[in-house]
């Protein structure tokens, strides 16, 4: 099994056994991963987000199941993660259907028309690697969702000047594109390098061409908030 310092640190935190920080590293630059704040808060009711969600729903990159724990009381919810430690933690926390699966290989795990909605909160869709990878992901997502499906995606917005201040940001001369590159370290273990291909809302719209998806609604930050944001939210529906 490959090293999984990220998942192991979060599981140790959940079990009360974490004695060291989880560190994100980009060369000489580091930051401590805010595990409690980012993963173990309770789901906050969100009318805009919930208006796009119906069951069965797929929670992609579900973390420790914060959102799945809320939605599973309303309809069938499947939560997926690539980390065995995170899947085990979700199950311990009461997620009824937590599975080890990669959101970028959906056809390998689910049949056609399996879900009526899906979401990926946390910018992990930008791990698609390239615009071709994003289009492939959108095609696979179309395969495993119904004809009336909706999807909510979340990403960093390289078209905004303030996004340049995020940890591990890399410039790209291509308009509407950037990178984010770092790895995690915990208890002597070093994780794989994560390469996020940041793409703008316009790039997302372009990537939907030739797929069944269309960007139905989008905003910087949350649609109901006036706060400055360096991320976008997008709701996609099938044409």
């Amino acid at each position: 099994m490959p090293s999984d310092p990220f998942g192991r640190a979060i599981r140790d935190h959940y079990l009360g056994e974490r004695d060291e920080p989880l560190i994100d590293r980009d060369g000489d630059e580091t930051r401590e991963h805010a595990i409690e704040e980012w993963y173990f808060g309770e789901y906050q009711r969100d009318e805009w987000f919930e208006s796009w969600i119906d069951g069965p729903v797929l929670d992609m990159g579900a973390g420790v199941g914060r959102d799945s724990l809320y939605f599973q009381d309303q309809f069938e919810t499947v939560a997926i993660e690539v980390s065995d430690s995170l899947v085990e933690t979700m199950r311990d926390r009461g997620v009824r259907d937590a599975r080890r699966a990669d959101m970028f290989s959906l056809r390998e795990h689910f049949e056609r028309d399996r879900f009526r909605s899906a979401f990926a909160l946390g910018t992990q869709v930008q791990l698609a690697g390239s615009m071709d990878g994003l289009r492939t992901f959108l095609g696979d997502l179309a395969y495993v969702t119904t004809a009336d499906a909706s999807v909510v995606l979340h990403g960093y917005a390289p078209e905004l000047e303030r996004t340049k201040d995020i940890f591990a940001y890399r410039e790209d001369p291509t308009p509407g594109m950037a990178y984010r590159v770092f790895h995690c370290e915990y208890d002597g273990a070093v994780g794989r390098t994560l390469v996020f291909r940041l793409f703008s809302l316009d790039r997302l719209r372009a990537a939907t061409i030739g797929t069944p998806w269309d960007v139905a609604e989008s905003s910087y930050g949350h649609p109901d908030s006036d706060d400055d944001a360096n991320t976008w939210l997008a709701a996609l529906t099938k044409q």
Side-chain angles (χ1 to χ4, degrees):
M1 289 291 293
S3 174
D4 179 23
F6 174 78
R8 190 158 56 86
I10 292 174
R11 177 149 184 80
D12 284 354
H13 182 90
Y14 170 71
L15 296 173
E17 298 175 355
R18 184 172 66 88
D19 297 321
E20 299 183 20
L22 173 63
I23 298 298
D24 298 331
R25 178 176 294 278
D26 171 24
D28 293 332
E29 185 180 2
T30 63
R31 69 170 184 181
E32 183 173 341
H33 211 88
I35 293 175
E36 180 68 27
E37 177 185 353
W38 292 345
Y39 301 100
F40 288 95
E42 291 189 7
Y43 174 81
Q44 302 295 314
R45 290 297 307 271
D46 184 333
E47 291 184 4
W48 178 87
F49 176 50
E50 291 176 38
S51 71
W52 299 102
I53 306 301
D54 198 0
V57 60
L58 178 63
D59 183 354
M60 300 176 289
V64 295
R66 178 197 63 190
D67 301 332
S68 288
L69 286 168
Y70 171 76
F71 284 113
Q72 71 180 8
D73 289 335
Q74 303 174 56
F75 32 67
E76 182 188 1
T77 302
V78 178
I80 61 172
E81 264 293 352
V82 294
S83 163
D84 288 326
S85 293
L86 293 182
V87 171
E88 189 175 4
T89 303
M90 281 195 281
R91 291 170 178 166
D92 287 349
R93 280 165 48 85
V95 176
R96 291 192 285 269
D97 194 344
R99 310 183 190 187
R100 189 180 190 280
D102 189 336
M103 64 183 283
F104 299 111
S105 58
L106 293 176
R107 291 177 192 246
E108 298 177 16
H109 301 284
F110 303 106
E111 66 271 20
R112 183 186 291 274
D113 300 335
R114 177 66 175 82
F115 301 100
R116 194 170 182 187
S117 66
F119 61 89
L121 302 180
T123 78
Q124 56 264 46
V125 69
Q126 293 178 325
L127 285 168
S130 66
M131 297 312 294
D132 283 343
L134 175 60
R135 281 186 284 270
T136 297
F137 164 72
L138 291 173
D140 290 348
L141 190 59
Y143 179 86
V144 302
T145 52
T146 59
D148 60 348
S150 57
V151 173
V152 176
L153 300 176
H154 176 224
Y156 277 110
E159 65 271 40
L160 301 180
E161 187 67 25
R162 65 180 69 94
T163 306
K164 296 179 180 180
D165 295 330
I166 64 173
F167 179 77
Y169 180 86
R170 301 281 196 285
E171 292 275 7
D172 189 301
T174 308
M177 303 292 292
Y179 287 96
R180 193 170 181 237
V181 184
F182 67 94
H183 67 263
C184 296
E185 300 175 357
Y186 173 67
D187 193 26
V190 177
R192 68 182 180 91
T193 299
L194 301 174
V195 180
F196 293 80
R197 189 64 165 127
L198 310 189
F199 49 85
S200 68
L201 279 170
D202 283 345
R203 289 283 179 174
L204 175 62
R205 293 185 185 96
T208 66
I209 297 172
T211 78
W213 298 107
D214 183 56
V215 178
E217 190 172 335
S218 64
S219 68
Y220 293 116
H222 194 278
D224 297 330
S225 173
D226 295 328
D227 294 342
D228 287 342
N230 54 19
T231 62
W232 49 254
L233 275 170
L236 283 62
T237 54
K238 288 186 174 178
Q239 304 176 53

